[in-house]
Every structure is written in structure tokens, then in C-alpha cells.
Amino acid sequence: MSSERNEADQGPDIPVSSGGSQDEENEETEKNVLKEELSDPPAELSDEAITPPNQNVTATLSSPLSVIERPSSADGSLSVPDDTPSLQVCLLSYVILGFAEEVRILLHLRTVAEQDSQRTVEALRLLCDLLTGVFRLEYLLLLQHPLEQFRLHSSTHTHATPVESGAVTSISISADHSTVAGGHTSGTIFTWEFAKPAKPFLEISPIDRKKTQEVDGHVHDVEILHVGFLGSRHTALVSADGKGMAFSHLATRGMGSIGRTIKTTRILGRYPEMTPNPAKQRKPSAVLAFSPLPLGNVTHVTDTIGLVAMLTPYLLVIVSTTPIAQTQYKTPRPKEVAAHSAMTAALAWFPSVKLKKPNSETSETNSRVKLVYCWSNILTVLEVVEVEPSSSSGQEGPPNLQFRPRSRWKAQEAIVAVQWISRSVLAVLTITQQLAILEDSSLRVTNSSDLIQKHIYHVDLFSQHMKVIVEQLDEEDTSMHGVVADAFYMSFRAYKGRLFLLGFNDLTFGTLSNWADRLLALMDAGNFIGAIELATAYYTGQADKASVGLPEDDGLRHEMVQEKLLEMMSASLKYTFGNKGDVQEHQAENDQLEDLAMACISASVSVENMDFLFDETYVYFQNGHVQGIFIETLESFILDEDIKVLPPTVIKDLVLHYTNKNWDKRLEELIYHLDPRTMDLDQITTLCKRNNLYDALIYVWNQALGDYVTLLNDLLGIFERQETNGSYADPSLRTKQMATASKIFPYLSYILTGRIYPTGKDIDEEKGTIAKADVYAFFFSGSGNTLPNSNKSNPGQPKADTDISFSNLRRILDFDASSFLSMLNEAFEDSFLNGSHDHFIKTTSASLTEAQKFGLSVNRQRVVCTLLEIMTPPRYEAEDTVYLHMFIARNLPKYPQFILLPGHHLYRVLTGLCKYPSEDIAEDCQLSVEYLLSVYQPPDLQSLVPMISEARFYHVLRSIYRSERQYARLLETCFQEGYVNGNLVFECIAECLRPSTGLTERQSDDVRVVIANNASQLVERDVDQAASTINMYVPDLHEAMLQSLNDDFEEIRKYQYLKMILETPEGNEDNSGFPQRSPNLHFIETYVRLLCEYNPSHVTKYVEHLKQGDLRLEEVLPALEESGVVDAAVILIAREGRVRDAINRLTEHLQTLEGVLVGLLDGVMDSPDLANTAEAAYDLVNSIQKFARIGIWLCQGQTKSVEHKSRQRKSNRHHQVNGDLTEDETFWLDLIYVVVTVNKNASERLQAENFDIDETQSPRLDKPNGTLDTTKLITDLRTTVQEAFTALLAATSTPRATDTRRTDVSFLRILRAFLTRASLSSPSLSNLRSVLAAIFSAYSYEESLLTLSNRMLDKDLFLHVREVDSLRRRGWRPRGQVCEGCGRRVWGPGTGIYVWDAWQRGNEKDEAKKRERQRVLKTEPNEDKAVRNGKGKIAEEQARGSASNNQRLREAEMTGQTTQLSDNIPPDIDKDRAGPLVIFSCRHILHRSCLEKMKGEGAAQKDIVTDPEAEFICPLCTT
């Protein structure tokens, strides 16, 4: 293979030729020997023989091996240096374990470090002979420990000797145990035959890459970490070294003096680079786990290709080595491996073995080859499946294998070693030396054990080579590991179902206890119940099977466990009852007996051995007088139907035990779940009747005898006996007997609908038909003698009166007619009564009785006619016949094809329903009448209306009136029924008055009259719904509705009614609280008055949105004044146009509030309730603020409504200030004055009292000593003044339309008038100083905010304007280079030189125009300044001169444009076809002249020039 692979773990993907032929004779001999040894494989390698335990590992420990001194020769020439990497491994050089029958031997051989090493080889050979001859050794296991240096002298041996090759670092033994291979630290591999130990059988030497690069092989001085034989051959090996490289070695056949040649092929890894490249460094790799596929006890296709599995930090590679090396499978490390976890790897093969029973899923007789491999904490099981070659290939070749990952398991920590203990069990060793036993099928941990005390040997083999991955850790590279774990693979091995652990100083091996050992251990410990439960779990497969040595096949497992289980139960029962005798008096022992009974019953049910359960187990409990414990334990198994048959003795004890404890219901439930055919009927009948268990008795007679009518006579007899005894019977006994007799009705319901009583399960169709026929014949045959086997009398059965017809039917009707008819109502739904049983009669006529044949002929018509014939007065009064009428009325519409009755019968039914005997059934009768009228039309329905009305069948009446279109009477009926269903009235009104109903005018008037007559009832039901309904359909009846609410206690309903019709419902968020329409003036005035009474806070909000003229002020003003809703009164006064009166009322109220506040502050210190006083003060200040804002609103509205005529004030500013105030300015003055006065007086009072100010207290609460928070009060008052002045300034200082400069003349006049008035009331303005200071400070603060906002707005606007300008300048690129109108080229190559000339002339004109503009603008600033500062005619002339300059500038621009347009046209081009270009956003380009012509305007060139700003639309896109 090539030595220049780029992948670190690349296996051979290209087939490689073989190194030569093999020794066929020796190979055949080896195979024959191996087959003889494997012909009778041990139990441990068979299908399901030995598997690990699910509890503790039962370990057989060898005596600790003594610490062996470091071997050395006498002269010290063979001493092992201290720094030998395999120093600890060399403690044991060679260990052979022998097993023969019941003898377990552990032998270890110390290395004899003498000058003549031949003695060591001889001792080894003698030991093998001893074990083989004396103990009949069948198999040998060689644990992988370095074979210490052997010094073998051979004159013909020319290559390196074992001593020169260094310490043994890996060994392997061949499949026939005749050859051993060892790898050394130098990279050399030797194989030795035990029969010829004088010299190595094969020697595989390392290579020197510096000398040759054409030959594959291990590099010199790289230790061999793994070595193994392929299949049964001695001449085929595989190996792996410490640098991550693996090779296969195939030796040729030797012929006499011609020695064997060895062909080595690289199967994994890359050789070290001779000249490392620092720029491209390779990731180091290592073979962390390595194993060739061992041989099984059957031939498999994989035996011939030499599979080898290798695990590196990055890949799993499976390579076939023969006939050529080829990669069979390769997969990367699973993504589930946690990043930066411990780097560990382990794998193990399990070969194909013979199955005792073919696989149930695949029908394979041999198991599949399996490989388990682990990376870190992720374990995966891989199956090898042979794929059958296609028939079209026609050529034989190597087998086609598929490697299928079957299951995956995630451990809690990294896994360092894994071994197959058997085909179904895995042993896993984690990095903390925790042992876990897993079942292969489910990968479930059946047991775990801590082996840390065993000190398992481990050694660091990979960290030095892989340190780059750890030391150069990249947190972002998830493929990196945090640490490289030590190697454990040489210390953890499994062989023949035994697990071997190599410690630092001893060797431990152990076997895993099987199921029998565990059961025996529990029995020895006295835990009989636990042993029985565990054995039962083994039998049923609920416990671990493979983990205790039980097969997966149920038949084999049952055969193994059943006998042992029965023996344990017998021993447990004998021990328990033999030692304790009568144990029923001890509760603790009873609990133990209950557990024992549960275990024995469960085990017997599992093994299906009821004879053992009742003949042996129950007898033990019965003899111990604790059969009650057994019976109660048996209950759950009976209810689960695990046990359906009980012996008669057990049934007798069961009934006796449950009746003694009054568990009758539980007893009957148990009997339902037993098979009655196995019971003693005489016994069970006697027991059930004695204990009144008729449900159970009915079940037994039905199921065991198929008798469904005999017990009907018994149940009716119970009723008749109670009626005969009358008052002489015991009341409690009578109640109990009547309840028993009443079971007849549910029983009949079950039978006549095809169900088993009382379980409810379906009866077999044939049995169900016969049962129904028997029951119908029993009741509806003319003769009363319809009992089966009537010649045999039933004990205790009363004699039925057979002289009258239908005697049995009369008996049950006399018992309870309503229940019987209710049962029949359910039975009518069964298809049995449809008739047509002729086919059934023909097939079973021989076994049918005459009564059964008659029962098959019964149908619904016969049942109804018979009942009508029998249930007549005087025997049956209305209390009974009404149920018959309901029965007929309800079933007639459902089965019109089966029931036909004449009209007089139906009339009788209808009248009977209307004359019901009790109010309890009135609703049922009404519903029955509705059913009946759906199929029956009386000849004169109107004549029945009085009778129906008397019965108060409102549903029926509504149906009649609706069908007759008598809507007024329909509504009256709804009002009558409305006492029961209030919403029905509103629904009926909507139904009658909606336009789609199509009422005539007279019908509509009749409906209105009914509504008006019942207005009080309508409002009483639901005010809101009544208002909305009337408002929607008959709004003219609002007056009538309100008149019905004239009483004083009805005022609140009147308020609710008006609110519903005058305001939009609250659910409408858009118009919430606003008037819905313009209703009656009287309604609004009444509603406002009611609002003042019930919701004063809402008055203002409501009146604000009323229109002018919606109400009369004089009608509501007294109520507003009385309720204190001054704000609403002010709004209404202003709306009437009396703004002066509104302002006066407002200022008057503010002065009133001022007086109250000052008076309150005067007495605040003397108030007994200081908290409430402070609360009132805060409320007063809030009211002052509210009314001040109302005043501001009034003044602002008046200012906007007054239209000021423009005055040409030519006088000076002082004269304007001293002018008279207008009316709206007077309003502002009055408001400002009263607000400032209130603030001044209240503030003076607050400051004069010198209240303590506490800034930390809540504004609504006082300090503990009751001090008022004056700071908040003064601040709120001053804020009110500031708001008034701010509003005044905003209203009077508005910018003019022609000038951005502001004028404050109106504000100054008002301010001057205010100061004048204030000086009259207070000559000193010192009191106003603080107020004015606060006002003007607020103005300065607002000015700074406005300035800052303007700056931010200007900056933002500049950015947007610049962006828009940039987009405008970008322009559009034309779609083509020709005019879309004339087709001439207008730009681009080929346009013509005239475009360039025109562009140059245009630039010259632009430069001339720019110079002219600059000249004109140079003179303008001085002239403009003179114009702005000058006066008279000179200024006017200069202004005219400036205007003429601007005109000349515009003319120059126009002239330049005209010239440019003219010059752009070359002389050889038609000027009508040329001219400016127009490009649209759709990228179409046209001459302007072409565009004009396309528009049909025929514009000339001069028109184009004189109208350069015309707007156009692309004609191509618009069309």
C-alpha cells in the first residue's frame, strides 16, 4: 500500500495483492484439531447458557499473587531497567487458566532469569503437558501480559533475538492454543509453537524508513501494543503499534531449506514524515482498541476474510485482510460524545455460534457476528449481516457484508473496557472502575458493582503520543478531548462465562450466579416469599432472563423454572404451617401469610396449575384455619379473570366468609367473574337465596342453564308476598324485599337489549334471540304458563294465576307500570322487534319450544295493542295509564312503519296526556304531546287549544300559534311561559317584529298592544335586554315602558333603561359613553336628572357630547345645582350661548371652594379627625384645579369662536396696550383674577399657620402627629395659576399668517388689566411676587424645551432632505438607446457628433449664465440693505430696480435654455423629430416632440421651449 496517505486513520480502500500462498497442509491440520476441540462447546459459549447476574457478582478469588521481584540474571545482564514502560506489566509473564469439570486452577509462572533461558521454555512446555494430561485441559486462556525476555541461542538464527528486541508488550494465543505471538518494544513480533519452543516459528522484523520506503512494516523502536491471530491460522497475524499504525502479516508456505516469507500490508495509519512540515501539522493518532474476529463454534463467512476492528480517537475501522486487505466499514466518532471528555476506547467481538432454537424473527439457526465498541461514554452494538449476492452477477466472490448499528447506550462516565460474557450479556468497566452488566437485547443495566477495591491494573500508553490534542486544546473544536485515559484492555477479560481482573498484585476471577443460585440463596436466608416471587418473575419473563442464565424462549424457560417453583412453594407451605400451626391470631403473621398466599396464587396462575393451588396450597391454609386470608387474596385474581373456576368447597367457604362480613356486593361481583358452568347449582342456588343474592343467582341461572324466565316468577312472587302481608311485614324487611324485587326491571332491560345481567357484556346472538323470545312469551302470551320445564316446580315459586289472560303482564304492571314501560321503551330500540325471524326458526325449529316460537313472533305492534287492551279502567287509573300514553306518543314517531293505531286511540292518548295526574310529570307529558303531534294531525286542532292551554303546555301552544301565524297569541303565550324562561319573551319579540317575518299592519299592532300590556313584566325580567329589544324593534313604545316604572322604587330601573337606550353599550370602545342617537327630549332630561342622583361623576362626560337643543337647561339646572355637578351646569350654560353667565357661575363656585378651603385650614389644628380633614383639603384643591381647567376650556372656546377683524393700528405700541378689553379678553381676566386670588388667599393661610412640612410622607396621608403636607397643597395651587397663564399666552399670542413674528398685544392688555384690578384689591403687589416669579420661570423653561426640540427637528429634517436630494440626483437609466416614439438613436455609440457639439455649446452657455447671475447678485445685497433701511421714493425705486434685476436674471436663464435647445439640433436633423429627451421612472425614453405627438396634441417646437415644466405620463405604460 502507499505510504503517503493523508488520513490519519485511513484503512485500505483499494484491494492489495496477497503476499504468497499459505501452508495448506498445516492449515488443514490446524482446522481439524480446532473442530475436534469445538465439537462439544462448553455451556458458556452456547446460546443462552451462562450470563451475568443482576445482583452481586459471585467471585471466586484466587490467592493474591505475591509481588514478584524484578527478574534479573545472576550477573545482572538481564535486569530490567527502572524506566521500562512495561515494568508493572512484567510482574506476570505468563498465566494459564485451566478448567476441568469441578476443578478450578490458577497457576502463574514466574520468569526464570537465569543465564540459560532454555529452562524457562522447558518449564513452560512441561506445565502445558501437565495441565493437558492430568486435568484434561480443554481450553487455555492467555491473559495479555508481556512475556519477559527469553534468551534463546540458535546458530542458524540470523535475525534479532527476543532479548535484543526488548520487553514483550503484547501477546496472543492461536485458536488451537498451540502457538503464541508476542510483540516487543523494538517493533519485532515473534511467534512460538509450544511443541517446538527451541526457536521462533515466525519472526516479523521492523523496518527502517530511512533506508527503504517500498516495504510496509512497523517502524523500528515503536512498541507493539496489539497483536492477534487471524482465524485458525498460525501464519496470519495482525498487529498495531504505539504510533497509530496497524498491519496484517501473511506468511507463505515453507519448503525444506526454503524458509517462509512474510508479506506485510499496512491497513491503518500513516508513516511518520521524514521531514516534518511546520505549516501543515498532522493530528496524532493511536490505535486505542484492537481486536481480530475470533472463531465461533460454527463456520461463518467471516472466518475466511480475517476481519479486524480498530478504534482510533477519530474512527472505527473494520478491515478484511484476506484474500486482499480492504476496508469493510468505517464510521466516525458519534456526535453524542461530549466535547472535551476523557479519551477512552474499547471494543470486543462476539463470533457466530449455534443457536439451540432458530431465531423467531429471522429464522436463523446461527447467531450473527456482533461487535461492541465504545468511545468515551457512548457504547454501540454493531451487527454483521451477510447479503445474498444477486442472481444476475453469476460470479462467486468474497462475501458481501453489511454492518448495521443496532443499538446505542450512554453511560454516566467514560468506558475503558468492554467484554462479552455471553452472547446476550456485556460487561462494561468505567474509568472509575465501576462494573456494569448489560443485556444486549435492551442495553439495560441489570447490575452494577464497585471494583475500586480490586485495584485493577492500568497503564498510560497513549498520553505521551496524544499530548498535542490535550495540550493544544481548542475550546471551539468539539473533537478534542480533555484527558487521555490509561489503558485497561489488558486487565479486563472474559472467558467461558467467567470474568478475569488483573490487579497490581493479584489476579481475580469470578463466576456470575445464575437463577437457581439466587433462588437457593433466598431460600437459605429464609425469604421464601421473595424466592417464590422471583421464580415467578423468571417464569413469566418479567425479570432479567439473559442475566440469570435463562433462555429467551418461553418454552425452554418454563421447563427449567416450573419444577423448581413448585418445589419452593411446597417447601415454604410445609415450613410455614408445620412450625406455626394455628396462626390466625397474630396480625404480623397474618400479614406474612397474606404475602405467602399472594405469592403462591400468582405463581400457580402463572404456571397454570390450579390443582396445586387448591389441592395443596388451599388445604394448608384451611388446616391452619386461615382460609379467609387465602380467599380475600384470591379476590383480585378472580376480578382480573385470572381464575374463573373454583372447587365447590372453596365456593362454599367464599360465600360463608363474605356473608359473615356483610360483603354481599363484593361476593356478587366475584360470582359474576366465575364460570357458572363449573359450579354446583343446587349449592349456589341455596346459598344465594339464603343470603338474598339474586343478582348472582340470575347470572348463574342464565349462564349455566340458559334459563331467563324462571327467576322472573320468583321476583314477582316476592312483590306479591309483600303485598299480601301488607302492614304486618317488618318495614325494614319489606324495603329490602321490594328492592330485591325491583331488580326485575334492570334485568329485563339487559336481556331484551342483548346484554348479560349484570356484567353488561354482549350475549351470543343465538342465545340472545332465544332469551328475548322467552321473555316476550312470558309476558305477552295469552297463557301464563310459559315457564321452561313447567312440569317441574321450582322450590319456593308462587303459583301464578293462569285463569286470566296475560297474567304475567298484569302482575308486573301491578308491581310498577312506569318502570316496566320505561324498560320497554329501551327494548323497542332493539332490532328483535322488527320481526322476520323465519330463517332462525327454520334453522333451530327442532330445539325451540312453542313458547319460544310465539316469542319470536312478538313485535312492536303486538306489544302496543296488548298494552292498550289491558291498561284500562278501573284496574288501571290515570296514574298508570299516563305512562302508557307517554310510551306510545314517544315511540310512534320513531317507528311509524311498525306501529299503526287508529285515530280514536291517538285522540285517547292525546287527551290522557293533557290530563296528567301530577305536576311532576307535566314536562314529560308536554314533550310527549309534541312527539305525538309531529305525526298525528287532529281533525279540529283549534278545539284542542283550550285543553292544551289548561294543561299549560306552552311549547305545544307556541308551535300551534306559530304554524297558524297568530303572533299576538304567540307572544302572550311567551309572556305566560316567561315566568319559567325569561329570555324566551325577548326571543319571541325579535321573531315577531323582525322584517323577514312579514307581519301585516294589524298583526303588528296586536303585537304592540301585547308588549305594552306586559311592559312591567318585560322590564322586570331584564331591564337592559328589554331596553335594547324595544329600542331595536319598537322604539315608539319607550314611553309605555317608562310609564310602567312610575313608582319611586322603580327609579333605578328607569335609570338603567334610559342608560341603555341613550348611551352606546360599554362593549363598543369607539363610542363608549356617547349618545347613540337623538331620542326624545324628555328622555334626555329625565336621564340627566337620574344621573345626578345615581352617577353624578358621569354627568359632565355625558353632557359634554350632547348637541345644542338636546335638552332644556331650565329643566335640569336645579338638579345639577342640587347634586353639586357645577361643571356640567357650566358646560350647559355655555352651550346655550350664555358664556358670561357660565364664567360668572364658575368664578362664583371657585370663590365658594376658596372659602371652604380657608375655613377648613383655619380649623385643621382643632379637628378631632386630622386624617379626614387632610383628605378633605386635598379633595378641595383637586376640585379647584378641575374647575380652573373648565374655565380655561371655556375661555379657549370663546377665543376661537370670536372672529377678530383685522385692525390697522397705526398708533404706537403703548396705545395698543392701553386699549379697551374685548369680551373674550374679559373672560380671561375674570378667570385669571379669581384663580390668582384663590391661590393667594389659600397660600397665605397655609404659610400663616406655619404647618410642618414633611417631604417624605405620602401626599394622601399625614405624619404620625397629624401634620398636613402643605408643600403639595401650595405646589398644586401654583400649578393651577401657571396652567391658566400658559393657556392665556397660547391663546393670545398666535403667529400671523403673513409673518412669523408674534404679537403679545392681547396678552399684555389682559396682564395690565389684571395688575390694575389686583392693585385695587391689594395696593402692595408683594403678595403676587412669588406667583409671578413662578409663572415666568415656567415660561423660560418651556422656551428652552421648544428651542431644543426645534434644533433636533431641524437636524433630522436636514438629513431627510439630503437623502431625498441624493435620490433625485441619481436619476434613471434608460431601458434602450433609441427613442420609443420615432426609433432614432438618442444616446450611446452611433448617435452622431452633433451630440458632443451640442454638449460643449451647452456648457459654454451654462458658464455664461453663471457669470451673469453672479454679476447680478453682487449688486443685490447692498441694494437690498438700502431698501430695508430706507424710506420714501428712493427705497421704492431701489426695490423696483432689484426686482428688474431678478427679472433680467430669469430672462437670461430662459434665453440660455432656448439657445441651448436650438443649438442642440444639428442642421441635417428634422427639428420636429428632435428636441429635449424625456425619461420616465419606468426607464422608457422619448423625444419631447414625439411624446407630444403621441399624446395627440401636435405641439410645435416653440411650445416645447416655452413650457419646460410640463408634466408627462409614460404613454407606453399607461396603455
Side-chain angles (χ1 to χ4, degrees), residues 1374-1385:
R1375 187 185 301 272
Q1377 297 180 355
V1378 298
C1379 174
E1380 301 289 347
C1382 62
R1384 291 180 178 273
R1385 185 178 296 276

Side-chain angles (χ1 to χ4, degrees), residues 283-316:
K283 280 187 177 181
S285 183
V287 182
L288 303 178
F290 180 93
S291 177
L293 174 62
L295 292 175
N297 58 7
V298 293
T299 303
H300 194 265
V301 294
T302 57
D303 296 343
T304 61
I305 61 176
L307 289 181
V308 183
M310 295 163 284
L311 271 179
T312 72
Y314 319 104
L315 292 173
L316 164 68

Side-chain angles (χ1 to χ4, degrees), residues 228-464:
F229 287 93
L230 292 174
S232 60
R233 293 175 292 178
H234 300 166
T235 58
L237 294 91
V238 287
S239 60
D241 57 30
K243 296 297 183 181
M245 300 189 67
F247 298 88
S248 66
H249 313 281
L250 303 178
T252 61
R253 178 176 55 185
M255 299 178 62
S257 59
I258 302 176
R260 297 175 182 269
T261 62
I262 300 174
K263 176 63 176 180
T264 299
T265 304
R266 179 167 60 94
I267 60 176
L268 183 70
R270 294 178 298 182
Y271 290 106
E273 296 181 350
M274 303 301 296
T275 58
N277 184 8
K280 185 179 179 182
Q281 294 184 355
R282 295 178 180 175
K283 280 187 177 181
S285 183
V287 182
L288 303 178
F290 180 93
S291 177
L293 174 62
L295 292 175
N297 58 7
V298 293
T299 303
H300 194 265
V301 294
T302 57
D303 296 343
T304 61
I305 61 176
L307 289 181
V308 183
M310 295 163 284
L311 271 179
T312 72
Y314 319 104
L315 292 173
L316 164 68
V317 182
I318 300 178
V319 178
S320 60
T321 57
T322 56
I324 58 174
Q326 186 176 2
T327 299
Q328 297 288 339
Y329 182 74
K330 182 167 56 177
T331 183
R333 187 178 59 184
K335 295 181 180 179
E336 293 88 341
V337 176
H340 314 297
S341 59
M343 182 192 294
T344 61
L347 57 80
W349 288 98
F350 193 88
S352 176
V353 296
K354 183 72 174 179
L355 298 178
K356 288 186 176 180
K357 188 176 181 180
N359 190 300
S360 58
E361 296 180 358
T362 61
S363 301
E364 297 176 350
T365 58
N366 300 333
S367 68
R368 293 178 177 177
V369 175
K370 295 184 290 187
L371 173 68
V372 57
Y373 62 93
C374 311
W375 261 304
S376 188
N377 63 329
I378 304 299
L379 180 145
T380 307
V381 178
L382 192 75
E383 283 187 344
V384 182
V385 181
E386 181 183 8
V387 179
E388 296 293 335
S390 59
S391 58
S392 60
S393 61
Q395 295 181 357
E396 295 184 359
N400 186 9
L401 302 178
Q402 284 188 357
F403 297 82
R404 301 174 182 175
R406 190 191 64 196
S407 52
R408 180 163 288 175
W409 177 69
K410 185 176 182 180
Q412 296 181 353
E413 53 189 11
I415 300 172
V416 295
V418 62
Q419 288 287 300
W420 290 95
I421 296 181
S422 71
R423 186 178 66 88
S424 303
V425 180
L426 286 166
V428 175
L429 182 67
T430 65
I431 196 170
T432 59
Q433 301 187 21
Q434 303 294 314
L435 175 65
I437 305 299
L438 279 74
E439 287 189 352
D440 173 44
S441 58
S442 61
L443 289 185
R444 181 173 59 89
V445 178
T446 61
N447 186 33
S448 60
S449 180
D450 187 3
L451 300 180
I452 192 66
Q453 73 279 2
K454 299 300 180 183
H455 303 289
I456 299 176
Y457 177 77
H458 52 89
V459 63
D460 182 7
L461 298 179
F462 308 107
S463 63
Q464 185 65 26

Side-chain angles (χ1 to χ4, degrees), residues 1101-1130:
K1101 183 178 180 181
Y1102 179 73
V1103 300
E1104 282 179 354
H1105 300 91
L1106 288 176
K1107 299 178 181 179
Q1108 188 173 1
D1110 283 349
L1111 54 75
R1112 293 168 293 181
L1113 182 61
E1114 62 275 7
E1115 296 292 333
V1116 299
L1117 189 59
L1120 296 174
E1121 294 286 353
E1122 183 179 356
S1123 61
V1125 190
V1126 179
D1127 48 351
V1130 170

Side-chain angles (χ1 to χ4, degrees), residues 706-732:
D707 185 355
Y708 296 91
V709 298
T710 299
L711 293 179
L712 290 176
N713 206 32
D714 286 355
L715 294 173
L716 292 174
I718 294 175
F719 159 70
E720 292 169 348
R721 285 194 297 269
Q722 295 302 318
E723 289 294 318
T724 302
N725 294 334
S727 59
Y728 299 101
D730 184 7
S732 60

Side-chain angles (χ1 to χ4, degrees), residues 831-977:
S831 60
F832 176 85
L833 294 176
N834 293 343
S836 67
H837 298 291
D838 297 338
H839 178 71
F840 181 81
I841 294 174
K842 290 179 181 180
T843 56
T844 59
S845 59
S847 61
L848 293 178
T849 64
E850 292 298 327
Q852 291 172 346
K853 292 180 180 179
F854 172 80
L856 291 172
S857 65
V858 175
N859 54 26
R860 296 182 182 88
Q861 181 73 31
R862 181 186 291 272
V863 171
V864 172
C865 293
T866 303
L867 291 173
L868 285 172
E869 178 184 352
I870 292 176
M871 297 188 69
T872 57
R875 182 166 182 171
Y876 298 101
E877 299 296 336
E879 289 79 2
D880 295 324
T881 58
V882 69
Y883 293 104
L884 174 62
H885 297 155
M886 285 192 291
F887 170 73
I888 295 174
R890 296 192 180 191
N891 284 281
L892 186 61
K894 291 193 292 185
Y895 311 105
Q897 71 275 28
F898 297 108
I899 304 175
L900 299 176
L901 295 177
H904 67 279
H905 281 312
L906 297 179
Y907 185 83
R908 169 187 164 188
V909 171
L910 180 59
T911 56
L913 290 173
C914 292
K915 298 177 181 179
Y916 51 87
S918 174
E919 289 290 340
D920 297 337
I921 60 175
E923 284 297 326
D924 294 330
C925 290
Q926 179 174 213
L927 183 60
S928 300
V929 170
E930 289 187 80
Y931 277 113
L932 181 61
L933 291 179
S934 65
V935 294
Y936 169 59
Q937 298 296 330
D940 188 5
L941 182 61
Q942 292 297 326
S943 63
L944 297 176
V945 170
M947 182 177 62
I948 297 174
S949 299
E950 184 180 358
R952 297 188 300 279
F953 290 168
Y954 299 117
H955 290 248
V956 180
L957 287 174
R958 284 194 287 110
S959 300
I960 295 174
Y961 293 145
R962 184 178 288 107
S963 62
E964 298 293 334
R965 294 182 62 82
Q966 299 178 12
Y967 292 104
R969 302 188 67 179
L970 171 64
L971 186 56
E972 286 181 353
T973 304
C974 291
F975 274 111
Q976 294 175 6
E977 192 179 0

Side-chain angles (χ1 to χ4, degrees), residues 556 765 1009 1141 1239:
L556 297 176
E765 184 176 0
V1009 171
D1141 294 340
N1239 174 60

